[in-house]
Amino acid sequence: MSDIALMFEQIEEFNDTITERRTDPDPVVRASVKYRRPISVTTMHNIRATLRHALNMAMRQDRLIDFNPAAVLEMSAKTRPRPLVWTDARVRSWQEDYRSYREAEKQRRGGRRVDPIDAYTSVPRSSPVMVWTPAHTRLFLEEARRHRLFARYQLIALRGLRRGEACGLRWKEVDLDGHSLTVNWQLVQLAWQVHEGTPKTDASVRTIALDTDTAQVLRAHRQQQLQERLAMGEAWTDSGFVFTQPDGNRLHPQHVSDQFLWLAYLAGLPPIRLHDLRHGAASLMLAAGVEMKVVQETLGHTSSAFTADTYTSVYPQVATAAAEKTAALLFGGEGDQAEPGKLISLRS
């Protein structure tokens, strides 16, 4: 029991170390934890569940122990943060905090330059999981259109692929004429090493329909990649991936996330994680009236109950439409969906 408790105490100490080093004035210290993420409460619960299962097997099959200490270990309650939309009020509040944070950091560093992306991602948000409005997403895609891998971002924003699924997508799984693609593989980052494997669950292996515009964007990307291949000649690596480095080699998932943050910053948008772009795709589908089962299958969720519990309250117009339809049943009126909130420019 004490060994297991000690393990989780060390995890919490590891988290504290990351948090402290991320705010250290020494850039070398900050760089030492650049790609290290704190272990979340949810992950710690998953670690305990795996350990508990292994110890249960030891009790039942090998009779090595007669007591499972992982079953009685007390841990913090596991809560899954709900996605929140970047409303006008939340954007204004974040803007004020962002300006104050940059000024305070500049003074703390004696007038030295503050890394804009560090400041951009360090300011607290209303929730760890934030979602852009449709207007925000349109502005991001306009900015990302200049990037050589623009098709990747449109695919995630509209079809909700996970980062690893987009990085691991191969051309042999894409049917441009049939407007569909199949998710069979993903690239996973463990520490800094990249590993190739199957998607998270059986439900994650799926075929996704493509809209006409996204299919055209992918077709243009294919032509661009063929031009890059001709330019590289024998130096080209034929990896078969849809999204690659200029020499054909596979992408590193962390570089994809870094590029996304930079593009979002350049677009003057409030910050979200790359994975939150997938959340936005789910919310967009629901706001457009797509059936819950279709959204679940597109995202690769195991159950539609999880999809409904996570996303149905994200966009205000979804709840407003439900209220209007309910009133229409009683009074016989016709309800209209609320218009998405107007975009606030973050450029200063």
Side-chain angles (χ1 to χ4, degrees):
M1 176 70 177
S2 60
D3 290 337
I4 297 176
L6 177 61
M7 177 185 71
F8 284 103
E9 287 177 7
Q10 291 174 337
I11 291 176
E12 291 176 354
E13 290 176 1
F14 170 78
N15 288 346
D16 291 341
T17 299
I18 292 178
T19 303
E20 291 173 4
R21 291 187 177 183
R22 281 181 173 176
T23 59
D24 195 284
D26 188 341
V28 176
V29 175
R30 294 198 307 276
S32 69
V33 294
K34 183 174 182 180
Y35 299 111
R36 306 304 296 270
R37 294 186 298 175
I39 306 299
S40 67
V41 174
T42 299
T43 300
M44 284 194 279
H45 275 268
N46 292 339
I47 292 172
R48 185 184 68 166
T50 302
L51 181 59
R52 185 173 61 223
H53 175 72
L55 293 176
N56 280 336
M57 296 295 290
M59 289 173 62
R60 288 197 299 267
Q61 296 182 3
D62 302 325
R63 302 184 184 277
L64 298 176
I65 56 175
D66 55 10
F67 169 70
N68 189 338
V72 297
L73 181 70
E74 293 185 2
M75 296 182 66
S76 302
K78 180 171 66 173
T79 57
R80 179 162 48 90
R82 285 190 175 264
L84 292 179
V85 69
W86 273 114
T87 61
D88 292 353
R90 288 176 181 141
V91 170
R92 284 193 294 268
S93 177
W94 178 84
Q95 281 180 313
E96 294 173 1
D97 292 342
Y98 173 70
R99 295 189 186 101
S100 298
Y101 179 88
R102 287 197 67 174
E103 185 59 33
E105 278 293 290
K106 188 174 181 179
Q107 292 179 2
R108 188 174 72 86
R109 299 184 185 189
R112 288 180 297 169
R113 177 182 177 273
V114 177
D115 187 304
I117 298 300
D118 280 351
Y120 183 65
T121 56
S122 297
V123 178
R125 310 166 202 177
S126 301
S127 169
V129 182
M130 299 299 295
V131 178
W132 284 332
T133 66
H136 290 149
T137 303
R138 282 195 298 270
L139 185 58
F140 169 76
L141 291 177
E142 288 173 7
E143 180 67 40
R145 191 173 292 276
R146 293 190 287 270
H147 194 279
R148 60 178 290 274
L149 298 180
F150 163 69
R152 175 186 62 199
Y153 293 115
Q154 177 155 329
L155 196 58
I156 297 174
L158 268 67
R159 298 284 75 197
L161 269 68
R162 299 177 178 92
R163 180 182 72 171
E165 293 170 348
C167 291
L169 184 65
R170 287 181 168 84
W171 281 116
K172 66 181 180 181
E173 308 292 352
V174 179
D175 182 359
L176 292 175
D177 294 328
H179 287 196
S180 68
L181 63 83
T182 301
V183 175
N184 277 326
W185 303 96
Q186 67 171 345
L187 297 185
V188 180
Q189 176 185 335
L190 300 177
W192 185 250
Q193 298 300 315
V194 179
H195 301 271
E196 195 174 323
T198 55
K200 289 179 62 176
T201 64
D202 290 342
S204 297
V205 178
R206 62 203 188 277
T207 298
I208 298 174
L210 300 174
D211 60 278
T212 301
D213 184 68
T214 301
Q216 291 175 346
V217 167
L218 280 169
R219 196 181 297 276
H221 172 73
R222 177 62 170 161
Q223 292 302 314
Q224 173 189 301
Q225 190 180 76
L226 290 174
Q227 293 174 5
E228 292 176 344
R229 179 172 185 167
L230 288 174
M232 291 296 298
E234 294 183 357
W236 173 265
T237 299
D238 190 10
S239 63
F241 290 110
V242 174
F243 304 114
T244 66
Q245 299 180 44
D247 64 357
N249 278 305
R250 67 185 185 186
L251 298 170
H252 193 293
Q254 185 59 52
H255 291 160
V256 175
S257 294
D258 291 344
Q259 290 168 356
F260 169 76
L261 285 174
W262 184 246
L263 290 170
Y265 172 78
L266 291 178
L269 291 163
I272 66 171
R273 304 169 305 166
L274 177 59
H275 193 73
D276 296 337
L277 200 61
R278 166 179 160 84
H279 292 320
S283 301
L284 281 169
M285 283 186 274
L286 290 172
V290 178
E291 294 182 5
M292 187 66 65
K293 182 64 176 176
V294 176
V295 177
Q296 172 219 329
E297 292 176 348
T298 301
L299 296 177
H301 287 162
T302 303
S303 72
S304 56
F306 174 84
T307 308
D309 183 56
T310 303
Y311 297 115
T312 49
S313 62
V314 175
Y315 279 162
Q317 59 263 44
V318 175
T320 301
E324 294 290 357
K325 289 178 181 178
T326 302
L329 286 175
L330 182 61
F331 301 112
E334 298 245 340
D336 297 322
Q337 290 191 15
E339 291 295 326
K342 292 180 65 179
L343 177 65
I344 294 178
S345 175
L346 300 182
R347 299 182 187 274
S348 59

